[in-house]
Structures are given as C-alpha cells and as structure tokens.
Amino acid sequence: MGIKAIFLGTPQFAVPSLEAMAHAGHQILAVYTQPDRPKGRGQSLAMSPVKNSALALGLPVRQPERIRNTAIVEELKADAPDIMVIVGYGQIIPQSIIDIPRFGIVNVHGSLLPRYRGAAPIQWAIANGEHATGVTTMQINAGLDTGDMLLKAATEIDPNETAVELGARLAPMGATLLLETLTAIEQGTMIPIPQQDSEATHAPILSRLDAAIDWNWPATVIHNRTRGFFPWPGTATQFRGQTLRISKTRVSEDSTTHEPGRVLGAKGPLRVACGQSTVLELLEVQQEGRSRVSGTDLRNGLRIAENELLGD
C-alpha cells in the first residue's frame, strides 16, 4: 500500500502535498506539524492548515515543540518509515532524524534550487523581480536547502502576482512533483543531482524591517516588494507622523522630476514620485487602526495635497 511515510509540514503550501500522498495510497504513519498557536484579536489557539487537513484525512497528528527532543527521535525510530517528507515544517531537522528513513528525507521547496535557498523563497523571488521560478524536490541533508536536487518544475511569474497568488499556484505543482519523486525513488530510477553552491542565492526569513519603503528606489522595486511581501510583513511608509501600510500598487508609465516621496497631482489617484524619475500609484493602503481603502479614497478623505511628502 504505497510507501510508508512520515509527513512534516505546517502552512497551506504543504496541504496539497499531504493530500496528494494520501489520495495516491501512500501509507502516512503520522503527520508532524507545529503546535497550535494564538491567533487573532482574541488570541485563541489556532490549528495549522496541515493539522486541519490531516484530521480531515483521519491521520494521526503529532505537534512537538522541538522535534530534536530525544523522545521524539525514538518515536520516529519506532515508526520505522521508509521515507520522510517535509514541506514548510518550520524546524531544523537534526542528523539523528535524517538518518532514520531508509530512503532519507524529501523536501518540496518553492524555488528552482540552488536559487532562493531559505525560509521565504516565493516572497524573495517576487521582491527581487524574478520573471520565473518553480518548485524543486530535494534530499534533505544537514545544510540549509543544500541537499541533492531530485526533480524540478518551472513557471513564469506574472508582473502583478503576489506571494499569496504565486504560492497557491506552486503548491499543487509541488504536490504533483512530489508524487513523481516518490514513484522514482520506489522504483530505484531517481538520479540525485548535487547543487552548485556557486549558483546559490538566499531567501532569508522575513522580518518587520523588510516592510520599510525607501522612495529613492525605482517604482518597480517598490512594486515588486509590495506584492512579494503581501500580506506579511507588507510594505509601509510614514505619512503625517503615522505608519501607512501599502498593499497594492501599480507602476506608472509616466516620469517625474519631483523629489522621491512627493505626492503628484492636485487630485485623483494617489501617485508618488520614486527614484530614477519613476512614478508609483498606490492602489490600496491602510492607516493605523483603520480598514484598507483605495489610494484615491484615502487621498480624498485626508485631502492629501500635491507635493506632500511620504516617508518623512
């Protein structure tokens, strides 16, 4: 009945892979996911998307705070899986666990390795203005996304696509690739390909500091970061002494001689001068403690004048 596997994953990106394995008839011995975390204004405990999916599939769920705990390692040894699959689990896997399954550990990674190794490959690919990306299955080793590559699938990135939208497209691609990978491993036809470290780029975990906009950047750079970092950490600027969050933008074909950060025009859409004489239109924005509104509505509501400065 398929391959005996342990699945480790947490975010929505991992759900199609878990469901694909289950529906393909692989024997999933247990699903490991992050512990329930406080969420929302009420800070009530919320299950991860993978836990929700695993429970719906009738699979046993385990949620250790630290998977490297000795008792957890012994538990995994007792399970004696043929293989382990990781998709966005959220913890570093120690060598003591890597050595357990006879076929090793396979990871579904949201980039075309060795590019964008790290925790946020989808976000950084968009933020850096890449035109294409994809998914890679790889063999986990002790490094950070440095193991041998197994299979790849590529796709173009739409110029206005957000990280959420791209992730929703890559997730089922990763699930399909995972099933192909497991079949090849079972049949003994998989030929791992070592990564070339000289070609590697990195996608570090995002922080609130990444949200800050520098209006001296060209409009395209700000636009790419806005869609890449949506919904978190987003992009933001200071305006009239408060933080103004920006969730959707459009690069204008116009040019300007105004100082970067200056509001353009006396009325109409909220357009801002950027570096290299470029112009960015702010389509959706959010003041502190307020709901998200269109840039035009914000401009009308606050009576934002021509030449006011963002980022002051």
Side-chain angles (χ1 to χ4, degrees):
M1 185 182 165
I3 198 167
K4 290 198 306 179
I6 296 285
F7 188 92
L8 302 94
T10 299
Q12 181 62 38
F13 182 80
V15 170
S17 290
L18 173 61
E19 293 177 345
M21 286 182 65
H23 295 151
H26 292 293
Q27 186 180 353
I28 302 174
L29 305 173
V31 175
Y32 283 74
T33 190
Q34 291 295 296
D36 297 354
R37 304 295 189 194
K39 188 176 181 180
R41 291 186 178 180
Q43 290 293 283
S44 56
L45 292 179
M47 296 187 293
S48 73
V50 162
K51 181 178 180 179
N52 272 315
S53 176
L55 293 177
L57 292 167
L59 299 172
V61 175
R62 301 171 184 168
Q63 297 176 273
E65 283 286 350
R66 289 173 56 83
I67 198 165
R68 62 176 59 244
N69 182 285
T70 302
I72 302 301
V73 175
E74 293 304 314
E75 181 179 56
L76 287 166
K77 287 180 180 178
D79 288 328
D82 296 321
I83 200 166
M84 295 172 67
V85 173
I86 296 182
V87 189
Y89 176 51
Q91 292 189 38
I92 301 296
I93 307 300
Q95 193 66 47
S96 58
I97 292 178
I98 294 173
D99 293 337
I100 292 174
R102 64 189 180 103
F103 291 135
I105 303 180
V106 171
N107 172 237
V108 178
H109 187 76
S111 79
L112 297 175
L113 290 171
R115 296 183 63 79
Y116 295 103
R117 295 173 177 173
I122 296 171
Q123 292 90 334
W124 282 110
I126 293 176
N128 289 340
E130 298 287 356
H131 299 293
T133 187
V135 286
T136 305
T137 52
M138 58 164 283
Q139 201 84 43
I140 288 286
N141 64 13
L144 179 62
D145 300 327
T146 56
D148 289 349
M149 300 177 293
L150 302 175
L151 296 177
K152 290 184 179 183
T155 185
E156 293 185 357
I157 301 174
D158 185 89
N160 293 306
E161 196 166 23
T162 67
V164 172
E165 293 164 341
L166 179 57
R169 289 202 300 114
L170 291 181
M173 287 176 58
T176 300
L177 203 67
L178 174 61
L179 293 186
E180 294 175 6
T181 300
L182 294 178
T183 297
I185 289 173
E186 279 189 285
Q187 295 175 348
T189 59
M190 180 59 69
I191 302 176
I193 302 174
Q195 294 189 47
Q196 298 298 317
D197 290 343
S198 61
E199 299 174 3
T201 61
H202 296 278
I205 191 169
L206 293 167
S207 77
R208 294 185 185 278
L209 297 178
D210 293 312
I213 288 175
D214 184 342
W215 292 105
N216 290 297
W217 292 333
T220 299
V221 171
I222 300 172
H223 174 66
N224 290 342
R225 290 175 74 94
T226 297
R227 60 195 184 93
F229 297 160
F230 179 82
W232 195 91
T235 50
T237 189
Q238 292 297 303
F239 180 63
R240 295 183 181 176
Q242 290 192 328
T243 299
L244 181 67
R245 302 188 66 80
I246 299 167
S247 54
K248 190 173 182 180
T249 59
R250 177 167 54 212
V251 177
S252 172
E253 295 181 358
D254 297 338
S255 62
T256 181
T257 57
H258 284 70
E259 174 192 8
R262 295 290 179 183
V263 174
L264 302 177
K267 58 182 179 179
L270 186 54
R271 299 163 69 248
V272 185
C274 303
Q276 297 182 13
S277 303
T278 57
V279 176
L280 187 69
E281 183 178 344
L282 310 188
L283 298 176
E284 291 184 3
V285 294
Q286 185 176 15
Q287 294 176 271
E288 293 181 30
R290 301 289 184 90
S291 299
R292 194 184 305 164
V293 298
S294 72
T296 301
D297 285 348
L298 181 80
R299 178 166 199 172
N300 293 338
L302 296 183
R303 297 182 180 179
I304 299 174
E306 182 176 15
N307 219 36
E308 280 201 63
L309 182 65
L310 278 68
D312 55 335

